[in-house]
Amino acid sequence: MLLACGGAAAAQEGLPGTSLLTLDGDLSARMVTGIDTFFARATEQAPAGRKKHWQRNFSSTQAYEASVADNRERLRRIIGATDARLPGVALEFVSSPTSPARVAETDSLVISAVRWPVFDGVYGEGLLLEPKAPAIARIVAIPDADQTPEMLAGLAPGLAPEQQFARRLAENGCVVLVPVLINRQDTWSGNPAIKRETNLPHREWIYRQAYPLGRHIIGYEVQKVAAALDYFNREPRSPGAKRPGIGLAGYGEGGLIAFYAAALCPQADAVLVSGYFDSRQRLWEEPIYRNVWGLLREFGDAEIATLISPRALEPQAAPGKITTPDYTSVEAEIERASALVKAGNPKVFGRFKLINGTEGTTVGPGSERALTALLNELGIPADRLRPPGPAPADSRRGFDPGARQQRQVKELQGYAQRQLRESEGARAEFFWNRIQADTPAGWQTACGPFRRLLREDFTGWITAPTLPANPRTRRWDPPAPNTAPNNAGTPDAQGTDTRNWTAFEVVLDVYPDVFAWGILLLPKDLKPGERRPVVVCQHGLEGAPADVITEDPQSAGFRYYKSFAARLADRGFITFAAHNPYRGGNTFRQAQRKANPLGLSLFSVIQAQHSRILEWLGSLPFVDSKRIGFYGLSYGGAAAMRVPAALDGYALSICSASFNDWTRKNASVDVDISFMFNGEYEMPDFDMGRTFGHAEMAALIAPRPFMVERGHRDPVGTDEWVAAEYAKVRRLYDRLGIGDRTAIEYFNGGHTINGIGSFDFLHQHLNWPKPVERRPGS
């Protein structure tokens, strides 16, 4: 018997060549806390790393614009503002028999209900305020998400007259267009056709559909504002007449949209941002619909401000509904923005002005100081504004802003769902149509760049592990089951361990505060000098390593995992029950929130942990490093797609209770099994729907063996979804002449390990003999 499994190992309570593991308490919680700390530290360090992404050239405004063009395009991509807008935008009046297009009129202005086309089936909608005197400027005034255009125009209660900044600008000679934003109510966040409603704010409802398709609620609304700017920029004027200045002004969520729109749209000459501009270092605490993949690697608000330069930016330190930007924080971010452009002519590139009250106090949205400063930057000399005139009266009978909100939500929902339906073609264009290899070796080589894209750009690659492994181990004894299944191997009446394997708990260092953890099961019949295959057995959501080992049929773990790690060890495989950090409810999801703005995810850490696990397992004298397989269920099945697709150290992969039409699983509003209808908000990956679905990930695993285990009654997906997705995999393996290396097993069960065809698959492709079946009487 190998020493590692015999008396010497038992005496020292750990594997030879390792230190004794002394960590106590909940190692799962310790792991998640460490990962959270790791991401928090990376967030603190992010601003120092942004310089390498920028090469600003201040020799002229043209040279500057060219030097930041790539940064602008990267910002455009990560906020999902990438779709081509409809050309020739024009305003359309919105009316009905009871709601005339001309909403109100005073001595100084006319207010009309309007809309304007953005994409096919998607319109911006709101109010147009036109002064009766010749217009001196054109401004898009954007309310907070829970404010209506009517509030900004003085047609509805909710804002004091001095805060009705759309009305005040119009009364002082500006044409003002006020778009409605998707609000934070949840009235339309659901699908009555399938009897599923949610409490998701409308903004999150759209965000969740858009994000996996490389789009975003922020990008959609920036595009609406950009279309409005296009209209203002195209408005006819007298021959030779100078174009009136075009400005943006926004408050709260509207400040966010105005800020990003100004960064992307050169049509805007100046922008007033109220109640939003701040350090984004705590972006993870803001609502999830502000989550932007990879933002903090390259951009804080200061860096985005430099995309507005040399145009004027006027942040206003006003209170916000979601958070209240602290004056000193806003001031520090403005100073940081100024420092980034200090190499340029300050009269050209330093047009950042912080608007505040006396002695650093905040001022309300639409303050006179802020609005006069905006007009000044648009070339309009103004020391003060005219006081508000008589309040306009809405002529529409029984006007309901909820109907307009419903239209806006349903238009974006319809657009996102259309993009979802088109995503299969997008993935084909991105992946399948670009690889022509017809041999296993050729395919593996051709997939190299795509494997790197999945690992580095779409999952997020940190680095290879930076710490020595420092393996620590200790003997691990599973709790005695209440009722052992047949041949389980348990302590007998005398307390003798009759199991066929010995277990060791293992901890390996990866990064500061980040470690890998699992339980290694070594068959007791290992012979000196023998090298055996290993199966890494991966638990699912809220699971732990012991769950895939437990032989107690009454336990929750056995219900799903059927002790597959122990059963495989009984068959002679070495098994390693790895822990993945998707455990701890909202705690691990908050770690994911911290990771996303860094262009990282939990799977960034999981990749590194498995890289370390593969390295350590391969160093053991009884392991054949070329025969290490991966077998995971549920979230572990998701890992079975992501990890072996990124790491070529795994010889094969088996995905159980996860393989799916992953894009529909994430973003569809037409089926109740979609993540749109549950609390797993961490699941969507930015733009994965247009790049890597499960079939594409399986293709990155090829030409290594790959198998799907699917229970007919598993609610994670449908047989039809699974079959259609797997057909692409089967076609590929047949095309490469390796059809025997892939399989799918359907069984009459649910969300659980089946352990029949999958076990045969492991024996075949890890080259380990099946147990000899004993016939009765033999």
Side-chain angles (χ1 to χ4, degrees):
M1 179 177 292
L2 188 69
L3 179 64
C5 303
Q12 68 177 28
E13 295 299 315
L15 282 170
T18 68
S19 301
L20 183 64
L21 176 60
T22 58
L23 290 176
D24 55 12
D26 186 344
L27 295 192
S28 174
R30 186 190 292 258
M31 178 185 289
V32 172
T33 298
I35 292 169
D36 187 87
T37 300
F38 178 85
F39 287 141
R41 184 167 54 248
T43 301
E44 293 173 4
Q45 296 168 349
R50 292 175 191 152
K51 184 177 180 180
K52 64 178 179 288
H53 298 290
W54 297 81
Q55 290 81 41
R56 299 180 184 88
N57 182 343
F58 296 100
S59 61
S60 68
T61 55
Q62 294 81 4
Y64 182 82
E65 287 295 325
S67 72
V68 299
D70 288 345
N71 304 89
R72 180 173 285 119
E73 289 310 306
R74 286 193 289 271
L75 179 64
R76 187 187 308 279
R77 178 185 175 273
I78 62 178
I79 68 167
T82 53
D83 292 323
R85 298 188 298 276
L86 294 175
V89 63
L91 295 186
E92 303 172 6
F93 291 111
V94 178
S95 64
S96 74
T98 59
S99 294
R102 178 167 288 197
V103 171
E105 184 173 0
T106 69
D107 291 342
S108 60
L109 59 86
V110 174
I111 304 176
S112 303
V114 296
R115 71 174 190 173
W116 57 100
V118 183
F119 312 125
D120 184 22
V122 175
Y123 292 83
E125 191 168 351
L127 297 178
L128 178 68
L129 287 68
E130 298 175 282
K132 291 184 174 179
I136 60 174
R138 297 179 173 94
I139 294 174
V140 180
I142 313 172
D144 183 47
D146 287 336
Q147 296 173 342
T148 64
E150 286 72 19
M151 292 179 185
L152 264 62
L155 294 168
L159 292 175
E162 61 272 14
Q163 295 181 329
Q164 298 165 10
F165 59 93
R167 171 188 166 195
R168 299 207 66 196
L169 288 166
E171 289 178 336
N172 282 271
C174 301
V175 176
V176 182
L177 185 58
V178 189
V180 63
L181 294 189
I182 301 299
N183 67 24
R184 302 183 186 100
Q185 297 174 13
D186 62 8
T187 311
W188 313 111
S189 298
N191 186 348
I194 60 172
K195 297 181 173 59
R196 290 301 301 267
E197 304 297 332
T198 77
N199 64 353
L200 302 180
H202 292 146
R203 298 190 70 77
E204 183 175 348
W205 175 250
I206 298 300
Y207 160 86
R208 285 211 200 181
Q209 297 172 58
Y211 191 78
L213 298 164
R215 304 298 188 269
H216 205 291
I217 179 64
I218 293 173
Y220 285 154
E221 294 193 321
V222 164
Q223 292 275 58
K224 290 184 179 184
V225 170
L229 293 174
D230 289 342
Y231 167 75
F232 277 159
N233 198 43
R234 290 177 56 254
E235 255 200 313
R237 53 185 180 270
S238 303
K242 182 180 178 182
R243 174 177 72 79
I246 297 176
L248 286 166
Y251 169 65
E253 216 71 38
L256 178 158
I257 300 302
F259 185 48
Y260 281 101
L264 299 185
C265 303
Q267 306 99 305
D269 300 309
V271 57
L272 170 64
V273 177
S274 178
Y276 176 73
F277 188 89
D278 198 359
S279 166
R280 297 268 78 84
Q281 289 299 99
R282 301 191 72 83
L283 178 58
W284 61 275
E285 289 184 324
E286 299 181 39
I288 195 169
Y289 49 76
R290 292 183 178 181
N291 177 50
V292 176
W293 174 260
L295 180 74
L296 297 183
R297 288 186 301 192
E298 188 170 348
F299 305 99
D301 280 7
E303 284 78 12
I304 295 173
T306 69
L307 294 177
I308 298 172
S309 185
R311 295 165 290 142
L313 166 66
E314 296 170 0
Q316 183 180 1
K321 279 195 171 184
I322 300 300
T323 59
T324 302
D326 177 73
Y327 176 81
T328 56
S329 177
V330 177
E331 184 178 43
E333 195 71 3
I334 275 289
E335 290 174 355
R336 207 167 65 79
S338 298
L340 292 173
V341 296
K342 68 179 181 182
N345 183 337
K347 294 182 179 180
V348 176
F349 294 101
R351 296 172 65 189
F352 305 142
K353 184 182 297 183
L354 176 59
I355 310 297
N356 57 274
T358 58
E359 298 181 355
T361 60
T362 62
V363 291
S367 70
E368 181 154 325
R369 290 187 63 192
L371 297 181
T372 55
L374 175 63
L375 293 177
N376 292 164
E377 291 295 348
L378 293 175
I380 303 162
D383 294 329
R384 58 179 301 165
L385 302 181
R386 293 170 49 188
D394 197 326
S395 64
R396 297 170 294 185
R397 297 196 303 272
F399 172 72
D400 177 14
R404 181 180 57 200
Q405 181 69 206
Q406 181 184 17
R407 287 195 298 273
Q408 291 284 288
V409 171
K410 293 306 179 183
E411 284 174 8
L412 287 181
Q413 175 180 308
Y415 188 70
Q417 293 300 300
R418 185 162 67 249
Q419 291 181 313
L420 170 61
R421 292 189 293 273
E422 295 168 353
S423 64
E424 185 171 14
R427 292 194 300 275
E429 188 66 26
F430 171 80
F431 182 77
W432 298 104
N433 297 349
R434 294 166 65 183
I435 305 179
Q436 303 303 319
D438 289 318
T439 66
W443 183 265
Q444 187 167 16
T445 299
C447 283
F450 292 96
R451 194 173 290 112
R452 285 191 294 274
L453 279 172
L454 174 65
R455 180 177 62 236
E456 297 172 14
D457 290 6
F458 292 94
T459 298
W461 179 247
I462 302 170
T463 62
T466 58
L467 295 179
N470 185 25
R472 286 93 76 202
T473 66
R474 64 185 169 211
R475 276 288 299 270
W476 181 84
D477 293 313
N482 295 327
T483 306
N486 293 334
N487 303 318
T490 58
D492 60 19
Q494 287 73 42
T496 304
D497 186 359
T498 62
R499 293 183 179 90
N500 299 321
W501 39 264
T502 303
F504 295 89
E505 197 170 9
V506 180
V507 168
L508 308 167
D509 289 335
V510 181
Y511 304 122
D513 298 305
V514 177
F515 60 89
W517 167 49
I519 298 173
L520 181 71
L521 273 57
L522 298 178
K524 292 179 178 178
D525 63 352
L526 270 168
K527 299 176 177 60
E530 182 184 19
R531 290 183 179 269
R532 289 197 186 180
V534 180
V535 182
V536 173
C537 301
Q538 192 62 66
H539 65 78
L541 178 65
E542 298 295 342
D547 291 330
V548 303
I549 300 170
T550 180
E551 299 165 322
D552 181 359
Q554 304 304 314
S555 69
F558 188 86
R559 172 187 174 190
Y560 297 109
Y561 304 107
K562 302 295 189 290
S563 64
F564 77 109
R567 290 163 59 201
L568 287 169
D570 287 339
R571 288 169 168 255
F573 292 100
I574 297 169
T575 64
F576 185 78
H579 185 65
N580 278 358
Y582 31 72
R583 188 167 187 257
N586 209 47
T587 305
F588 83 81
R589 293 184 169 98
Q590 285 299 300
Q592 174 90 330
R593 286 292 315 275
K594 289 183 180 179
N596 275 189
L598 300 167
L600 300 172
S601 64
L602 277 182
F603 271 105
S604 303
V605 172
I606 290 168
Q607 286 180 155
Q609 289 171 321
H610 278 266
S611 177
R612 176 48 44 88
I613 288 167
L614 283 167
E615 174 189 79
W616 181 73
L617 288 173
S619 73
L620 299 175
F622 40 82
V623 167
D624 183 345
S625 63
K626 297 187 181 301
R627 291 190 290 163
I628 303 177
F630 194 110
Y631 187 178
L633 177 125
S634 192
Y635 266 58
M641 301 307 306
R642 298 283 286 269
V643 175
L647 303 178
D648 57 12
Y650 280 110
L652 62 75
S653 183
I654 300 176
C655 176
S656 181
S658 181
F659 189 84
N660 228 322
D661 183 334
W662 195 238
T663 309
R664 291 174 72 183
K665 176 69 176 176
N666 275 281
S668 175
V669 299
D670 295 324
V671 287
D672 62 2
I673 60 173
S674 164
F675 287 132
M676 291 296 302
F677 298 106
N678 65 36
E680 293 168 83
Y681 60 79
E682 78 287 355
M683 290 304 292
D685 299 286
F686 184 70
D687 207 17
M688 198 75 87
R690 297 169 60 252
T691 52
F692 296 105
H694 278 180
E696 289 76 26
M697 294 180 199
L700 296 181
I701 294 171
R704 292 166 289 166
F706 171 74
M707 181 180 175
V708 173
E709 190 174 51
R710 162 70 191 170
H712 290 306
R713 298 195 302 273
D714 187 351
V716 76
T718 69
D719 284 352
E720 292 78 8
W721 285 9
V722 174
E725 193 75 1
Y726 180 74
K728 303 173 196 174
V729 181
R730 182 79 219 189
R731 180 174 58 206
L732 169 65
Y733 275 72
D734 285 344
R735 167 181 153 188
L736 299 178
I738 54 172
D740 62 327
R741 296 188 195 175
T742 188
I744 185 168
E745 181 183 49
Y746 294 96
F747 64 95
N748 193 25
H751 196 69
T752 181
I753 292 288
N754 192 42
I756 298 175
S758 56
F759 283 15
D760 290 343
F761 193 82
L762 289 167
H763 282 291
Q764 177 185 353
H765 294 290
L766 292 182
N767 192 25
W768 184 250
K770 294 181 184 180
V772 177
E773 293 186 9
R774 295 183 179 274
R775 296 182 179 180
S778 62

